Amino acid sequence: MAHITLNQYLQQVLEAIDNRDGPFCAEMLSFKHPHVANPRLQLSSPEEKCQQLLEPPYDEMVAAHLRCTFTVSNHDFVEAYKCQTVVVQSFLRAFQAHKEENWALPIMFAVTLDLRIFANNAEQQLQGKGKGNVGDMLEKAADQLMSCFRVCANDNRTGIDDSKRWGMLFLINQLFKIYFKINKLHLCKPLIRAIESSSMKDEYSTAQRVTYRYYVGRKAMFDSDFKPAEECLSFSFTHCHRSCQRNKRLILIYLLPVKMLLGHMPSHQLLKKYDLMQFADVTKAVREGNLLLLNEALVKHETFFIRCGIFLILEKLKIITYRNLFKKVYHLLRTHQLPLDAFLVSLRMMKVEDVDIDEVQCILANLIYMGHIKGYISHQHQKLVVSKQNPFPPLSSVS
Amino acid sequence: MNNTAMSNAWHHSRRGRGHRHKEQDRPNRERAVEQKAEDSVPRGACMTMCPAFELRQREAQNRLHRFEMLAGTERDRLPCADVSRAVKEYSRPAAGKDSTRASDLRPPSVLLKTVCYLVDDIAASSTFQPWTEVYSFVSDRLRSVRQDMIIQRVSGPDCVAVLEKSVRFLLYASYRLCGQPLQYYDPRINDTHLQESLSWLLESYRDGKHRHQEEFQALSLLYNLGSTHALQHVLELPERIRSSPAVQLALAVSRAHSERNPVRLLRLSQRLDFIQVCAVHRHLLPCRRDLLLLYSHGHSSRNCRYPLQRLARLLSLKDPLAAELCRVCGVSVSGEWVSFSKSSFTEAPSGDLQCRRTHEPVDDEQWNCPAGSVIHGCA
């Protein structure tokens, strides 16, 4: 591959198109393939040669691709992005003309993936020079992907085997990645709707479904819908292939806080296996109702948690920690009329100094409101009166 | 060889080499393109607060604002413009309208002077009444200043100084004019301007060191209390800024909000300075209602009563006002005692309690804080 001439390359592409060989053609246009390192193909103006051998719009598409290999060899990702835009646009023209056939889907996957990657690289390059607004290029890439998406989604008259609709989930996953990067999560909603209403949603490849559920789960977390988040992320985790340790770890980073909020603490083994010991102290603190340890753990691994975007969710574990602490107090005192002072003392023992009796009442009121405690506060008697039956319902039954 | 022949030869060879410049001279070409782009950015040359052309036009069309008229001519058929007090007004960009004429644009130094004039001589002055009119004038003229900055792509310390004063003015206004009839003050429009200015300001802080950054990061967090986006932004700030007292206090307030501890939130708010209260005040009334909601559930018992005085202290309201808030929210008050019941609390209050009435802090101290010192807070 590193030695073929331009002519040979173009001949191979032409053959692939004629034979409707989607996968091979995709390789010829993908930056994962070694041909992009071939200096004989890195040309700044290959248009004429391409026009000689290929029909429009393939000639434009391949010419743009070759120009792209040239710009990439010069490390000019801004230009590379522009070239790749032309590749995608010309591809789309060809794709739309394919009636009742979807052999070109692998090509679409390859060129759109490269588009997103170049948009990322281009932005980084511009940022390094102090120019360009974050997200501009990615948004433009998203627009292009949406155009592709529409072509796929509108193919509803073709039979299922030849339908372009099989390309939808891949594109949606690419769009999710962009929207998460530019922090415009609300744009995910219409895409989720499109898939959920499709009869094909469970027929896509497992890999695509794992990625899809991962992002849907993360979005649900962001919207504080913890039950649906747990379902999606659990699916993602269990169906993610054993060999993709990095991905499994990534899913776990988001699955763990959600499960903890629902009252399920991870085992030490699990944390060790996936190198996520940052959660160990957090888990221990929540389980024991140890607010001091929780605060310490959050501060200690702050950078990691903030970078992953889970710091704010882990802070929500505070209320669960209060609940666990107060439950211990209840078990210790063995009465259903608990003096408020006891809770204050328990907090002081956890080195929580700046809380007074009024704040304790507020925390208790919050726990009662949320259903974590069944009972009421009597200010006059300075007591928390709890129900004789199941005053601290299991966490999984609440929320 | 004689000079003419040599110079001829030199010219020829230069001409011949033209086509080879394509790839090798790429960096030079890039720089040339950049230079050209910079040259095409408009640069203002108007050294007065209002461009001469606009001044003449508005004077002739009787479109001067009261604050721009020459003293003594206000009641004339055609009032005269006071050149030292006329300020360029905001005008919507339109197709065909050239907003880039140098004579109409004010350079950054003039923009800063304009903003200082607007704040010191108009907003902070007690001679101009009513303040709703002052707000209307100043906010429009500040908008025009920001427009000039956008057109000229101003950035750096001048830009930051202008934005900081604008933000303080808009925050102060949001507090002082809270509850005014819509025709005089629309909180949503003020909010739009405030959010625009804030995000521009925070973006500008990314480069270089800025003296007041901590203060404004804190104000932004307080104004946007409850926003995950705003909170995440603060968490990602450099340690030096995040650990400053202002930001730490704002974070503590934010934490109390996300942990849903209104008692703590209201208690922390006592430690805020005046401009910080201006920033956070619109969140305080909902927070007070939330306290009543939580207590309605937590203290829900037929036989129990809660002392009104203590509740008022928690709400940081005077007793009668606390009682009124309770009534509005369906919490029953009888004399000195409050009875909480989860079934009687109402989410949709009948007869709303205006935020404005809760502005007065319990000790009346800062109520009459002069506008000038607030808006100028930092030099």
Side-chain angles (χ1 to χ4, degrees), chain A residues 98-111:
Chain A
H98 294 177
K99 297 297 178 201
E100 314 232 332
E101 49 188 354
N102 63 5
W103 65 267
L105 276 177
I107 308 178
M108 185 181 79
F109 296 161
V111 300

Side-chain angles (χ1 to χ4, degrees), chain A residues 133-272:
Chain A
N133 292 325
V134 180
D136 274 351
M137 304 204 84
L138 281 169
E139 274 202 65
K140 293 206 183 85
D143 287 339
Q144 290 248 288
L145 291 176
M146 276 308 279
S147 309
C148 297
F149 180 77
R150 269 180 228 117
V151 170
C152 292
N154 290 337
D155 191 28
N156 34 26
R157 290 195 192 273
T158 316
I160 194 95
D161 290 331
D162 299 308
S163 174
K164 296 188 177 67
R165 286 169 76 89
W166 288 110
M168 281 166 67
L169 199 55
F170 180 88
L171 288 172
I172 284 182
N173 286 339
Q174 295 295 313
L175 284 163
F176 278 166
K177 290 187 190 194
I178 294 181
Y179 293 151
F180 267 75
K181 190 109 193 254
I182 61 177
N183 206 4
K184 291 206 173 160
L185 269 67
H186 60 281
L187 294 173
C188 297
K189 204 154 150 217
L191 300 175
I192 298 174
R193 258 206 312 263
I195 289 294
E196 295 304 319
S197 62
S198 154
S199 55
M200 288 158 61
K201 75 171 174 199
D202 295 323
E203 311 299 321
Y204 289 96
S205 75
T206 308
Q208 287 181 8
R209 280 185 300 146
V210 163
T211 308
Y212 172 75
R213 295 283 204 125
Y214 167 74
Y215 283 108
V216 174
R218 279 189 63 189
K219 171 142 198 318
M221 268 177 93
F222 192 80
D223 295 334
S224 302
D225 292 330
F226 298 117
K227 272 250 158 65
E230 198 237 346
E231 280 168 21
C232 287
L233 292 167
S234 292
F235 175 93
S236 235
F237 186 70
T238 45
H239 289 80
C240 181
H241 197 272
R242 204 177 321 129
S243 60
C244 302
Q245 285 286 304
R246 189 181 159 274
N247 285 352
K248 278 188 107 91
R249 180 174 184 268
L250 205 54
I251 301 169
L252 214 46
I253 288 176
Y254 297 97
L255 181 56
L256 286 175
V258 173
K259 277 201 121 89
M260 288 202 275
L261 273 173
L262 293 171
H264 305 297
M265 302 296 144
S267 71
H268 209 75
Q269 275 172 307
L270 184 69
L271 295 178
K272 243 196 144 90

Side-chain angles (χ1 to χ4, degrees), chain A residues 14 33 58 98 110 127 131 192 317 329 333:
Chain A
L14 179 61
H33 191 266
Y58 300 106
H98 294 177
Q127 300 260 289
K131 294 189 207 159
I192 298 174
L317 288 171
V329 173
L333 296 179

Side-chain angles (χ1 to χ4, degrees), chain B residues 35-195:
Chain B
Q35 187 61 48
K36 198 154 168 256
E38 257 180 56
D39 290 340
S40 71
V41 174
R43 283 195 206 291
C46 169
M47 303 310 281
T48 51
M49 293 197 295
C50 185
F53 180 78
E54 176 183 315
L55 185 62
R56 282 194 300 271
Q57 192 184 54
R58 282 203 284 131
E59 189 181 47
Q61 295 171 0
N62 198 8
R63 283 193 301 118
L64 293 170
H65 192 280
R66 178 159 81 85
F67 301 158
E68 298 171 312
M69 295 174 186
L70 204 55
T73 67
E74 296 94 339
R75 295 197 191 284
D76 294 357
R77 193 182 52 84
L78 208 59
C80 294
D82 183 343
V83 184
S84 67
R85 296 197 305 141
V87 185
K88 182 177 178 188
E89 64 177 7
Y90 173 78
S91 73
R92 209 173 288 281
K97 198 198 295 189
D98 181 17
S99 47
T100 61
R101 267 203 317 238
S103 54
D104 287 342
L105 287 171
R106 299 159 289 179
S109 54
V110 177
L111 290 175
L112 190 52
K113 280 204 204 105
T114 307
V115 173
C116 289
Y117 165 76
L118 287 168
V119 167
D120 290 332
D121 292 39
I122 308 284
S125 158
S126 47
T127 52
F128 296 105
Q129 301 288 346
W131 211 76
T132 44
E133 201 180 340
V134 169
Y135 168 79
S136 167
F137 177 74
V138 173
S139 65
D140 176 84
R141 300 311 193 255
L142 282 177
R143 203 174 171 199
S144 162
V145 165
R146 289 198 297 276
Q147 197 179 31
D148 276 12
M149 285 208 300
I150 292 177
I151 296 172
Q152 297 173 83
R153 313 221 193 136
V154 176
S155 61
D158 285 330
C159 178
V160 166
V162 164
L163 289 173
E164 286 178 348
K165 288 207 203 297
S166 301
V167 165
R168 288 182 76 92
F169 169 78
L170 292 169
L171 282 176
Y172 173 71
S174 76
Y175 184 75
R176 180 161 176 177
L177 297 178
C178 171
Q180 290 285 340
L182 267 177
Q183 72 228 67
Y184 298 129
Y185 170 74
D186 187 337
R188 275 169 319 172
I189 296 180
N190 195 60
D191 176 63
T192 308
H193 293 168
L194 200 40
Q195 296 288 19

Side-chain angles (χ1 to χ4, degrees), chain A residues 6 39-48 50 62-74 79 83, chain B residues 22-24 26 29:
Chain A
L6 176 59
R40 294 193 203 181
L41 302 177
Q42 291 165 358
L43 304 159
S44 58
S45 327
E47 287 77 19
E48 230 181 280
C50 293
V62 176
H65 172 69
L66 292 175
R67 274 205 311 280
C68 199
T69 61
F70 172 68
T71 60
V72 170
S73 71
N74 284 344
E79 279 304 308
C83 293
Chain B
K22 246 185 257 170
E23 273 78 47
Q24 291 90 318
R26 173 156 287 192
R29 274 203 305 134

Side-chain angles (χ1 to χ4, degrees), chain A residues 183 354 356 359 361 377, chain B residues 229 259 264 267 298-299 305:
Chain A
N183 206 4
D354 55 350
D356 66 3
E359 280 190 49
Q361 276 198 34
I377 304 167
Chain B
H229 187 60
E259 284 173 29
R264 192 177 176 79
R267 187 161 290 161
H299 293 69
R305 301 182 305 173

